[in-house]
Amino acid sequence: MKLNLSALLRELELHCEYPQDVQLTGLTCVNTDVSDGFLFIWTPNYLMPAENSREHIEASVADALQRGAVALVLEAPLSVFAQVPQIIVPHTRKALSRLAACWYGQPAQGLKLVGVTGTNGKTSIAYMVEQMLNHGGHHTALVSTVENRYLNRIIPTVNTTPEAPVLHGFFRQAKDDGVSHAVMEVSSHGLSLNRVDDVDFDVAVFTNLTRDHLNHHGTMADYFAAKKSLFDSVERSCGTAIINIDDAYGAELTASLSHARVVTYGIDAEADLRATNIRYLGFTIAFDLWFDGESYALELPFVGKHYVYNCLAAIAVGFHYGLAAEVIFAGLQKTVIPGRFERLMTSHPAEIVVDFAHTPDGVEKTLIAARAICRGRLIAVMGSGGNRDEHKRPMIGRLLSLFCDLVVLTSDTPRFEDPEKILADIERGFLANTPYEKYIDRREAIEYSLRVAEANDLIMILGRGHETYQNMAGRHVPFVDKDVVLECLTARSLDAAEDACELA
């Protein structure tokens, strides 16, 4: 795809310093993605504010130009690069969203779009909705923490909500290939960093709001404001808001909307969709669904009360799009969610589950669900991410103490923090006499849990779920929890076979 800079400027009514017309072949805000003919949009580094100095901006721009950039988008002109056209805007992240949507021909406008936001449950609901829409005959795209995909095409993802050029490029491909609906996770980072400014959502889902990402947002009020901005968009377009009314922030959000069509779901409060008579049956849940004067008896392949909420949210989306009840329920039955209470079928006598829970609320809900199905000891293998909200770590430690018979502390993804310090933060939350072991090396921690677990025990490997690498001081080290479990068990089997041969 190619476009003259002058045409782009006319389309978006933007001003250019050091004007000259050039042909553009693409656009990006990531230096390493720049190719010949690209428009490079410099954006502030929210993780490392020190890199937003003029010196760092000039170094970033120089690198982009060396890689082939032919025009720039900046918040202030750089005279040192006066030979290069520079589009000057007050807010480059907002400009990035507008430019990306324009470059790809506003592809989001032709899709039925569902946005799912909240602290926990986004991935599960997105996968459920994708499955039921596909089962109902709609070609559906998925944008998630785990992967982006449509029509059997899988595209790896870096962020839960991709940067605007990646997102609109994905929508363009999907739409051109016949996709009619899309469901996506919308993170608070994605909202506050303007990644979805130019995406019009047909439906927005709110799951819950609990402590997370305060290193980015600062306060719960600011965190909620970021989430709420998705519904401000739906409010303006008179779209549909599907909201967990049992959540205090969900109730506040519901009360604030006057133009959107609001559909509530819950267990405790009176809601448009409500679950009653909930039963936990091992690795399934059963409940009675009440909606629009009808009741349905369901049994679904999920674990825990939080999955009842996830199912209600997804069902509400299905009904919104006019799917028959049997299509919705069949889609739920088929849903597999990578790294979300994922039961590993192995030769080990204990049950082994991998889960993404990494916030205090997520850990509590997951451990309550695990405790309910555990017939022996509950063993948790867990750490906490580095360079993130450190105040949640003692809270997680306390929860591990309360629910588990044995805790195996280990590294999650330390990033640039000292792993020992991260584990010490978690230990501060332990109750007296908490039985625990500590292994900085996550493989060693998993090996230990497999070695000590017995029949009827349940091993919960928490925090990373589907993730495929650990960030070790900037190095991406491949590591998939479920793969490591299987490797450890294979090694044990080989060792046992060798021992048997020696004895023979």
Side-chain angles (χ1 to χ4, degrees):
M1 182 174 178
K2 295 181 180 180
L3 185 68
N4 284 348
L5 176 62
S6 57
L8 193 63
L9 294 173
R10 283 195 303 272
E11 179 75 19
L12 297 177
E13 299 180 346
L14 293 171
H15 168 69
C16 187
E17 295 277 342
Y18 315 116
Q20 57 175 296
D21 203 9
V22 292
Q23 190 175 63
L24 302 175
T25 60
L27 75 168
T28 185
C29 63
V30 180
N31 285 60
T32 53
D33 290 343
V34 173
S35 293
D36 288 341
F38 265 48
L39 173 65
F40 175 66
I41 302 97
W42 175 86
T43 56
N45 189 328
Y46 70 93
L47 289 174
M48 298 180 182
E51 293 194 0
N52 298 327
S53 67
R54 188 177 183 87
E55 178 185 3
H56 278 93
I57 295 171
E58 289 183 358
S60 178
V61 167
D63 177 67
L65 293 173
Q66 187 175 17
R67 293 173 184 270
V70 295
L72 307 169
V73 178
L74 304 165
E75 293 182 353
L78 295 176
S79 57
V80 68
F81 302 113
Q83 78 280 11
V84 182
Q86 299 176 27
I87 303 168
I88 308 305
V89 296
H91 196 302
T92 52
R93 283 208 154 271
K94 291 181 179 179
L96 175 65
S97 176
R98 290 184 64 205
L99 286 161
C102 181
W103 180 267
Y104 288 105
Q106 308 290 345
Q109 291 182 3
L111 294 170
K112 294 289 187 183
L113 266 167
V114 180
V116 185
T117 199
T119 304
N120 297 308
K122 297 186 295 297
T123 301
S124 298
I125 294 167
Y127 269 80
M128 291 172 178
V129 170
E130 181 217 26
Q131 280 297 314
M132 63 176 61
L133 286 171
N134 281 338
H135 197 67
H138 301 292
H139 294 314
T140 308
L142 171 73
V143 179
S144 77
T145 304
V146 180
E147 63 193 358
N148 301 336
R149 71 185 190 190
Y150 70 91
L151 303 179
N152 297 318
R153 292 190 62 182
I154 296 176
I155 301 167
T157 183
V158 176
N159 301 309
T160 296
T161 304
E163 291 286 7
V166 177
L167 182 62
H168 287 280
F170 175 77
F171 285 154
R172 178 78 273 156
Q173 286 181 302
K175 185 178 174 183
D176 288 349
D177 287 342
V179 165
S180 59
H181 292 63
V183 55
M184 65 177 291
E185 297 182 53
V186 187
S187 67
S188 59
H189 283 72
L191 288 159
S192 65
L193 296 174
N194 308 98
R195 292 174 185 164
V196 293
D197 278 9
D198 292 81
V199 176
D200 296 323
F201 290 94
D202 187 41
V203 177
V205 178
F206 179 84
T207 65
N208 49 60
L209 197 78
T210 60
R211 186 185 182 104
D212 200 15
H213 303 307
L214 296 192
N215 58 305
H216 177 67
H217 297 289
T219 66
M220 286 297 293
D222 287 342
Y223 184 26
F224 179 51
K227 296 291 190 186
K228 186 177 180 296
S229 66
L230 175 63
F231 294 84
D232 293 339
S233 171
V234 173
E235 176 88 332
R236 288 191 297 271
S237 64
C238 298
T240 297
I242 296 173
I243 300 173
N244 176 3
I245 197 68
D246 284 351
D247 184 89
Y249 287 100
E252 182 179 341
L253 178 60
T254 299
S256 73
L257 300 176
S258 55
H259 299 294
R261 174 177 177 254
V262 177
V263 178
T264 59
Y265 67 93
I267 297 171
D268 302 321
E270 291 293 332
D272 296 313
L273 285 89
R274 191 176 185 189
T276 61
N277 191 27
I278 301 168
R279 287 97 65 208
Y280 305 106
L281 310 172
F283 281 85
T284 64
I285 50 175
F287 60 92
D288 294 334
L289 167 70
W290 295 85
F291 173 67
D292 200 23
E294 300 285 341
S295 67
Y296 309 86
L298 302 180
E299 185 173 337
L300 298 167
F302 307 109
V303 180
K305 184 178 181 180
H306 54 304
Y307 268 96
V308 178
Y309 283 107
N310 295 342
C311 290
L312 290 174
I315 291 167
V317 176
F319 280 133
H320 168 82
Y321 285 113
L323 298 181
E326 58 269 23
V327 170
I328 291 172
F329 305 149
L332 289 175
Q333 288 285 356
K334 293 173 60 178
T335 302
V336 177
I337 309 157
R340 271 59 177 179
F341 220 100
E342 186 174 354
R343 184 186 190 186
L344 306 187
M345 307 308 291
T346 74
S347 59
H348 199 287
E351 291 281 7
I352 306 168
V353 169
V354 171
D355 193 87
F356 190 55
H358 61 282
T359 68
D361 180 66
V363 171
E364 181 176 19
K365 287 174 178 174
T366 299
L367 290 180
I368 288 173
R371 190 82 263 177
I373 64 173
C374 182
R375 295 177 296 156
R377 293 180 303 162
L378 181 57
I379 301 170
V381 179
M382 188 173 187
S384 190
N387 300 112
R388 295 294 186 265
D389 179 12
E390 63 186 52
H391 299 292
K392 71 181 181 183
R393 294 171 188 166
M395 300 165 67
I396 289 171
R398 179 177 174 80
L399 291 167
L400 292 170
S401 283
L402 282 170
F403 290 103
C404 299
D405 300 295
L406 173 63
V407 179
V408 186
L409 285 183
T410 189
S411 294
D412 185 306
T413 187
R415 298 184 177 89
F416 294 91
E417 265 197 271
D418 177 5
E420 290 277 8
K421 192 262 184 188
I422 295 173
L423 300 193
D425 288 343
I426 299 173
E427 286 179 82
R428 288 207 313 273
F430 281 171
L431 303 174
N433 303 316
T434 297
Y436 76 99
E437 298 290 335
K438 182 164 60 174
Y439 294 87
I440 295 297
D441 186 290
R442 193 171 180 91
R443 181 180 291 270
E444 290 181 6
I446 291 172
E447 286 176 336
Y448 173 78
S449 72
L450 295 170
R451 191 164 64 248
V452 300
E454 301 172 348
N456 296 323
D457 290 347
L458 172 56
I459 303 173
M460 298 294 298
I461 303 175
L462 302 174
R464 293 176 39 76
H466 66 282
E467 292 181 343
T468 58
Y469 66 85
Q470 291 180 294
N471 184 335
M472 305 284 201
R475 291 185 305 114
H476 286 187
V477 180
F479 198 103
V480 180
D481 282 352
K482 67 178 181 180
D483 290 351
V484 171
V485 169
L486 298 177
E487 289 165 11
C488 291
L489 291 176
T490 300
R492 286 180 64 192
S493 296
L494 291 174
D495 289 343
E498 287 176 6
D499 290 344
C501 287
E502 288 177 8
L503 288 172

